[in-house]
Amino acid sequence: MSKRRVVITGMGVLTPIGNNVDEYWEGLRTGKSGAGKITKFDASSFETQIAAELKGFNPEDFLDKKEVRRMDPYTIYGMACAKMAVEDSGLDIENLDGEKAGVIFGSGIGGMDTFEKQHQAFLEGGTRKISPFFVPMMISDIAAGQISIKYGFKGPNYATTSACATSSHAIGDAFMHIQRGSADIMICGGSEASITPMAIGGFNAARAISTWNDRPEIASRPFDKDRNGFVMGEGGGALILEELEYAKARGANIHAELIGIGFSGDAHHITAPAPQGEGAQRSMKEAIRDGGIEITDVDYLNAHGTSTQLNDLHETQAVKAVFGEHAYKLAISSTKSMTCHLLGAAGAAESIAAILALKHGFIPPTINLDESEPELDLNYTPKVGVKKDITYAISNTFGFGGHNASLLFKKYSE
């Protein structure tokens, strides 16, 4: 029996460079940086005082005041992205079969802001000051639950949590549920809201984030020889996946097709990638095998590209190992150079970037890339994006714990 084809019919995104798909694409196309000084808390005593915050986002454009008060920011971001994706898809929510529609929506960290504020309330006032909404606001599955409740989707419903690979895993799981027939429609993706004192402090302690406090706009610089860590971002991304015939029957606008997924584990180290990007090699190879194409068919790679010393080197080595000579013909870019690192939301936001690249025939740039080391010698699309007709694109995401995910998208055709 042939596999059921899976297409993307709706997209919603919140990033530091745009609060919807059109704004996001304009930011990617023009090479906009989302980084700046932290305004969410007083970071003056922190080694890192920069991040990429959302700008001009109003939760009450998507939720009523009561809902906003009872949700962590990460859930608010997820709800906003899901609403945009549902509206973009044109789904008739009232009349679809909710038992054949599901939600897989993750977060790498979950309700960090809620946890910190509630702990402070406890320290200052004891147990009576802990909110009855503390636990359901904090837990990392609650965005998936809230989205399911909002739209009446009663099919598969859960969260993925695999650090920076979180939302790519959510998309891949949704893909498999549709392929095997347990759902016809899935909302999938992820969100993150971790620009908080403990998160910034923790990543500082791990020496993972940039300390270029005097030049935030150029601090996220994947593949550049002067990179000194990632810049934390926040936001979310949601995709509507549908079985092809179901989407066609309702006259859906199809953005792209998801044709292959590759998941792997490094089994190596809690934070460092495996030597030569061995796990990343296997995830890319599996996505290509699953999609039934040749390595030479891949036109564009949206790299994990975190702006850390180890990731950028090992991902480059992995690309060379998988693609051989074709690695030098690939168009590669790291959109984290603009959005910065959305952690658990990165995979969804970057999948949307890859889909938009397919639709528009344009490779977003890797901004802030002035000069690479000799071993980083691939075409990372430095500084300025380029027009290029592309048919196949891979989005890579790799997370602490050795979690690797590669998603293979195709420009849609009958």
Side-chain angles (χ1 to χ4, degrees):
M1 185 175 70
S2 61
K3 291 181 180 178
R4 290 172 20 126
R5 291 171 65 183
V6 180
V7 293
I8 297 91
T9 59
M11 301 186 293
V13 72
L14 276 176
T15 77
I17 62 170
N19 291 340
N20 57 54
V21 169
D22 289 342
E23 288 181 6
Y24 178 48
W25 178 243
E26 182 63 11
L28 293 175
R29 190 184 64 79
T30 58
K32 180 179 180 181
S33 171
K37 288 286 189 178
I38 292 173
T39 66
K40 291 180 174 292
F41 63 93
D42 181 3
S44 59
S45 65
F46 287 72
E47 190 175 358
T48 290
Q49 299 165 15
I50 60 173
E53 300 175 343
L54 296 183
K55 299 160 187 70
F57 171 68
N58 181 6
E60 291 175 25
D61 290 341
F62 300 92
L63 300 161
D64 64 39
K65 289 182 180 180
K66 185 177 180 181
E67 289 176 312
V68 170
R69 287 196 304 270
R70 294 181 177 181
M71 291 182 188
D72 185 85
Y74 103 87
T75 300
I76 293 170
Y77 298 166
M79 294 290 282
C81 290
K83 186 174 190 292
M84 287 187 276
V86 168
E87 290 175 352
D88 180 44
S89 73
L91 282 169
D92 182 0
I93 296 296
E94 299 299 321
N95 294 305
L96 60 79
D97 181 359
E99 294 185 7
K100 296 293 285 183
V103 180
I104 306 176
F105 202 90
S107 182
I109 297 177
M112 193 78 165
D113 182 70
T114 294
F115 191 94
E116 291 183 33
K117 288 177 178 175
Q118 288 294 304
H119 185 246
Q120 188 63 37
F122 164 69
L123 292 177
E124 294 173 358
T127 57
R128 291 186 180 182
K129 291 296 184 180
I130 299 173
S131 168
F133 297 102
F134 166 50
V135 171
M137 286 174 68
M138 176 200 70
I139 51 181
S140 58
D141 72 305
I142 210 67
Q146 291 279 22
I147 293 167
S148 170
I149 292 165
K150 174 77 171 179
Y151 297 105
F153 282 17
K154 299 179 179 180
N157 176 221
Y158 56 91
T160 51
T161 298
S162 48
C164 308
T166 289
S167 50
S168 291
H169 280 133
I171 294 165
D173 280 13
F175 171 77
M176 289 190 284
H177 279 294
I178 293 174
Q179 277 196 331
R180 71 189 298 270
S182 57
D184 295 323
I185 306 164
M186 296 291 296
I187 301 177
C188 53
S191 58
E192 205 78 84
S194 295
I195 303 175
T196 70
M198 284 299 291
I200 294 293
F203 280 113
N204 263 160
R207 297 288 185 264
I209 52 178
S210 176
T211 54
W212 283 21
N213 297 323
D214 59 336
R215 41 195 164 161
E217 296 84 2
I218 62 171
S220 183
R221 44 197 315 107
F223 307 109
D224 186 83
K225 67 180 182 61
D226 293 327
R227 66 195 184 278
N228 81 328
F230 73 84
V231 178
M232 190 183 295
E234 62 175 349
L239 293 82
I240 305 293
L241 269 52
E242 295 185 53
E243 191 273 325
L244 174 61
E245 296 306 320
Y246 183 97
K248 286 167 64 175
R250 70 176 188 85
N253 176 38
I254 295 172
H255 295 299
E257 184 172 1
L258 177 56
I259 65 168
I261 63 172
F263 298 161
S264 70
D266 283 351
H268 171 68
H269 189 272
I270 58 170
T271 56
Q276 305 293 313
E278 186 272 337
Q281 292 179 38
R282 287 184 287 110
S283 70
M284 287 187 281
K285 286 178 180 177
E286 177 58 18
I288 292 166
R289 184 209 63 78
D290 190 39
I293 65 170
E294 302 297 324
I295 58 170
T296 51
D297 292 328
V298 180
D299 304 298
Y300 171 53
L301 177 72
N302 188 291
H304 188 51
T306 57
S307 188
T308 59
Q309 288 292 329
L310 289 178
N311 172 85
D312 295 0
L313 172 61
H314 288 292
E315 186 171 14
T316 295
Q317 292 171 335
V319 170
K320 290 178 181 179
V322 171
F323 291 97
E325 286 302 310
H326 186 63
Y328 293 89
K329 299 176 184 177
L330 270 177
I332 303 170
S333 65
S334 172
T335 48
K336 287 185 182 72
S337 61
M338 295 170 278
T339 65
C340 300
H341 197 343
L342 307 190
L343 305 182
E350 292 161 18
S351 290
I352 291 171
I355 291 164
L356 292 170
L358 287 169
K359 288 186 68 175
H360 295 287
F362 186 86
I363 307 299
T366 303
I367 66 169
N368 304 324
L369 176 48
D370 295 326
E371 184 181 352
S372 293
E373 294 128 315
E375 58 266 55
L376 304 186
D377 58 350
L378 300 179
N379 174 20
Y380 306 111
T381 320
K383 304 282 193 181
V384 179
V386 297
K387 291 182 178 179
K388 182 179 175 67
D389 186 30
I390 57 178
T391 303
Y392 297 97
I394 287 179
S395 176
N396 276 344
T397 48
F398 314 132
F400 280 5
H403 313 298
N404 307 301
S406 299
L407 305 178
L408 176 59
F409 296 95
K410 179 185 178 184
K411 183 184 291 186
Y412 175 67
S413 61
E414 294 283 343

